[in-house]
Amino acid sequence: MCFWGWFSSHIYIKPFRLCGNGCACCSHAYLLSHWLEWSHLILPPPDCLPFFETCSLYHIWTIQWTICGSAYPSPHRGASALVLRTEGECWLFDCGEGTQTQLMKSQLKASRITKVFISHLHGDHLFGLPGLLCTVSLNLNPCPTQPPTCVDIYGPQGLRQFLRVALELTSSQLLFPYSVHELEPTTDQCPTEGQLSPDVTADSGRLHPQERAGRTIPLDVNSDCYVILEEKRFVVKAFRLFHRVPSFGFSVQENDWPGRLNTELLKDLGLKPGPLYGRLKAGESVTLENGQVVKPSEVLEEAIPGRKVCVLGDCSSLLGEGPLRACHRADILVHEATLSDEHREKAVDHGHSTPSMAAAVAQACCARMLVLYHFSQRYKPAAQQKEGDEDDVLELRRQAEETLQGTGIEVTLAEDFLTIPIPLIRLH
Ligand SMILES: [Zn+2]
Ligand SMILES: [Zn+2]
């Protein structure tokens, strides 16, 4: 039974109902417009929150591979790129050659990409980026009343200069601003020969016309991580990996959602559904007509844990304590498995991992699901496997599953266009 088929059996359509919690964002028109936009999404299985629970349309995250191979794109599998869809935004992780054509084949809109995370500067993770930015610009319909959104790009030192030179030498102008925020690698992230000379990575200081100054982010020695983004909804961190060149992983941690309002209790207090419900849900205390103050903690059920998605770039090992801390209890851990376990020595020599190495990381992190990607092109997608083919991609999953036996950690093989929904899950 294929993954798509299994999940598609859970697609259903229900009439909208208005939010009973006084949430300002709910209206028929609003929900309708978003439903149309998101309607192709695969909905979560029934054991998670009901899809149309109040405002839960906004709770849907998916992770989608546009391409997932290694080294170079082939007719049956592209180089690395995946998209995390959150509330109306798309975040792109790596951008191998051909990403833009794969995006066109998918139902994702490249123009929705607001953040790009580049794990390392190898071409199979980066060659697609200048072209993708140019195509997004060509297809952009600028709104005269609203300035275009700045695209934030995060990645290793040298990325800023790479993009600047690529855009400058090709006389490429963009209709939107962009900013490159660079992570400072440490010298132990790769062999000496993998370290780029400062002459190559140095910032020329001359910004591309559409470039906005970006940050240089140092390693936070206390947490052994790079704090990339801390906002109301998310905390995004990067951490160090060992590869042939400095490589990073990224962890996206969603903040917890407030629990459900205890409507019975609210009714007993004389509070009717309306804006006060919204204020309580937003963490504000409210004062009743009789002067009684109701605190959110008195009427909210247990908070719903935020989701965590971790995407690791190419690596043969983790570096320091940061990765395990950042990936602890990840809902989805995306880890490379370039070669099978029989080729472990070769994989490590080239700075890569095998399925059992990836599984050991997932186990150490207590992840819920391990997704393997970045397969050598010798492993054809399962659907294209022919009798007599020596290398079987399903064997990669079997090897990871064997290592994870008894842990309850699910293993999935990424293939081009695979979509995995990431539902909110209540603890009780
Ligand atoms: Zn790679
Ligand atoms: Zn690489």
Side-chain angles (χ1 to χ4, degrees):
M1 189 160 49
C2 86
F3 194 79
W4 275 91
W6 186 83
F7 276 106
S8 62
S9 69
H10 292 105
I11 292 179
Y12 61 102
I13 299 173
K14 251 175 94 167
F16 301 113
R17 67 180 165 83
L18 284 173
C19 167
N21 284 352
C23 171
C25 71
C26 268
S27 72
H28 273 110
Y30 183 88
L31 283 173
L32 182 61
S33 67
H34 275 73
W35 168 247
L36 291 173
E37 181 194 325
W38 287 78
S39 60
H40 66 277
L41 284 182
I42 295 166
L43 305 185
D47 58 345
C48 66
L49 282 176
F51 184 58
F52 284 107
E53 197 202 30
T54 52
C55 295
S56 65
L57 200 59
Y58 247 30
H59 296 179
I60 300 296
W61 280 23
T62 61
I63 190 161
Q64 180 162 356
W65 274 260
T66 58
I67 43 187
C68 65
S70 74
Y72 56 88
S74 77
H76 51 262
R77 191 185 284 126
S80 289
L82 70 87
V83 170
L84 174 67
R85 287 183 70 152
T86 62
E87 293 93 60
E89 283 185 47
C90 291
W91 292 4
L92 178 66
F93 289 81
D94 284 337
C95 190
E97 189 183 344
T99 298
Q100 57 172 312
T101 47
Q102 295 291 86
L103 279 167
M104 288 168 201
K105 286 183 204 164
S106 77
Q107 291 176 341
L108 295 163
K109 283 188 182 154
S111 58
R112 285 285 162 87
I113 293 168
T114 52
K115 296 190 197 309
V116 179
F117 301 87
I118 300 294
S119 64
H120 64 298
L121 300 182
H122 275 156
D124 57 327
H125 299 254
L126 181 59
F127 281 157
L129 187 56
L132 176 70
L133 295 177
C134 292
T135 306
V136 169
S137 179
L138 276 175
N139 293 320
L140 199 71
N141 283 326
C143 170
T145 54
Q146 208 181 340
T149 311
C150 181
V151 175
D152 286 301
I153 302 165
Y154 303 87
Q157 222 158 34
L159 179 58
R160 190 178 290 147
Q161 197 56 13
F162 166 80
L163 210 49
R164 203 177 277 168
V165 170
L167 295 175
E168 272 182 8
L169 288 179
T170 52
S171 306
S172 300
Q173 298 293 323
L174 305 174
L175 290 176
F176 55 86
Y178 76 94
S179 218
V180 181
H181 310 283
E182 288 188 338
L183 305 167
E184 274 183 344
T186 56
T187 51
D188 50 354
Q189 273 183 264
C190 64
T192 319
E193 61 271 21
Q195 287 166 22
L196 289 173
S197 149
D199 296 344
V200 178
T201 58
D203 185 337
S204 67
R206 196 163 44 87
L207 271 66
H208 181 271
Q210 281 79 53
E211 186 181 350
R212 305 288 173 264
R215 291 179 293 145
T216 297
I217 309 170
L219 178 73
D220 172 38
V221 284
N222 293 322
S223 63
D224 198 15
C225 280
Y226 299 79
V227 182
I228 288 184
L229 205 64
E230 262 183 308
E231 55 172 57
K232 200 176 160 201
R233 295 174 305 151
F234 305 103
V235 176
V236 183
K237 290 179 181 171
F239 46 86
R240 298 174 303 150
L241 303 170
F242 189 85
H243 184 46
R244 282 180 297 143
V245 297
S247 181
F248 297 89
F250 300 98
S251 136
V252 181
Q253 169 72 68
E254 182 187 34
N255 292 325
D256 289 351
W257 289 86
R260 249 191 261 209
L261 282 170
N262 185 332
T263 46
E264 287 303 310
L265 193 58
L266 287 166
K267 271 182 208 156
D268 292 347
L269 289 166
L271 262 176
K272 289 188 182 135
L276 290 183
Y277 276 31
R279 282 174 53 193
L280 282 164
K281 192 122 182 166
E284 278 180 52
S285 296
V286 301
T287 307
L288 305 183
E289 278 174 12
N290 62 9
Q292 185 186 347
V293 176
V294 180
K295 293 181 188 159
S297 57
E298 294 164 353
V299 290
L300 282 174
E301 291 175 4
E302 195 177 358
I304 303 163
R307 288 155 285 194
K308 187 187 273 192
V309 174
C310 300
V311 183
L312 279 68
D314 291 2
C315 62
S316 56
S317 61
L318 312 177
L319 212 63
E321 296 289 309
L324 289 186
R325 279 192 215 142
C327 300
H328 185 62
R329 300 188 77 81
D331 291 276
I332 306 275
L333 183 90
V334 181
H335 196 298
E336 68 131 294
T338 305
L339 292 169
S340 66
D341 285 340
E342 302 82 69
H343 305 288
R344 182 177 178 132
E345 203 177 322
K346 186 178 172 192
V348 173
D349 266 3
H350 289 81
H352 289 297
S353 297
T354 67
S356 65
M357 291 165 71
V361 172
Q363 190 170 6
C365 299
C366 306
R368 190 169 62 80
M369 181 192 277
L370 167 66
V371 183
L372 301 176
Y373 82 123
H374 198 270
F375 312 123
S376 158
Q377 297 292 5
R378 66 199 286 169
Y379 305 101
K380 288 189 195 139
Q384 290 171 30
Q385 198 85 24
K386 289 194 193 92
E387 223 179 285
D389 278 350
E390 212 174 288
D391 300 299
D392 183 358
V393 74
L394 295 176
E395 179 62 12
L396 302 181
R397 185 171 68 194
R398 197 199 57 72
Q399 291 177 352
E401 281 173 342
E402 196 173 273
T403 307
L404 292 171
Q405 219 168 27
T407 61
I409 300 171
E410 206 179 321
V411 181
T412 296
L413 296 178
E415 285 300 353
D416 294 6
F417 308 116
L418 169 74
T419 302
I420 301 177
I422 314 164
L424 277 169
I425 296 174
R426 286 180 191 280
L427 292 175
H428 303 292

